[in-house]
Amino acid sequence: VQLQASGGGLVQAGGSLRLSCAASGSTISNYIMAWFRQAPGKEREFVAGIRWSGGNTYYTDSVKGRFTISKENAKKTVYLQMNNLNSEDTAVYYCASQSGLIATTVSRRDLYSYWGRGTQVTVSS
């Protein structure tokens, strides 16, 4: 599976951005598609995930109510709509995918085999 992320940029606090992650290669029907982020000096952390088959979604607590993950089947693309951004959201955002994950393991970075190149999101205050 190849992943191509896009949509990052510079935005003021309180603003919005939408990230996209296009998948190609193997079929992804049984995959989790997820977004992680890594701020300077910090470890890469889980942000949100979506199960391609069924559409179940998962979020880390800090983004609940502000971020929405969604998918477009025909384009094999996952989106991360980010609203009410703040400086703590500044990071490089990565999309990732993996098959066979159960709900309790979706946030585990070490279980993901496929990663896209990151896209920078910078929130200015």
Side-chain angles (χ1 to χ4, degrees):
V1 177
Q2 291 81 46
L3 304 172
Q4 181 67 47
S6 61
L10 174 64
V11 63
Q12 289 188 333
S16 299
L17 279 175
R18 189 178 79 157
L19 305 183
S20 301
C21 177
S24 61
S26 301
T27 180
I28 58 172
S29 60
N30 61 337
Y31 276 65
I32 290 283
M33 302 289 291
W35 288 96
F36 288 77
R37 66 186 180 186
Q38 188 166 18
K42 295 187 177 182
E43 292 190 352
R44 193 172 299 186
E45 65 172 357
F46 173 80
V47 177
I50 187 166
R51 193 172 298 280
W52 197 264
S53 177
N56 293 37
T57 58
Y58 311 89
Y59 297 94
T60 192
D61 286 345
S62 63
V63 307
K64 285 179 181 177
R66 300 188 300 123
F67 290 12
T68 302
I69 190 169
S70 62
K71 61 183 177 71
E72 186 171 354
N73 291 354
K75 293 185 177 181
K76 295 174 71 174
T77 298
V78 172
Y79 304 99
L80 185 68
Q81 177 66 43
M82 306 185 293
N83 298 330
N84 194 21
L85 287 160
N86 59 60
S87 58
E88 294 186 352
D89 297 315
T90 294
V92 177
Y93 284 70
Y94 299 88
C95 62
S97 67
Q98 181 60 44
S99 63
L101 296 180
I102 61 175
T104 54
T105 63
V106 168
S107 63
R108 284 185 52 181
R109 177 189 65 199
D110 60 309
L111 296 180
Y112 285 80
S113 299
Y114 305 100
W115 293 86
R117 296 182 65 178
T119 184
Q120 176 72 46
V121 172
T122 302
V123 183
S124 64
S125 55

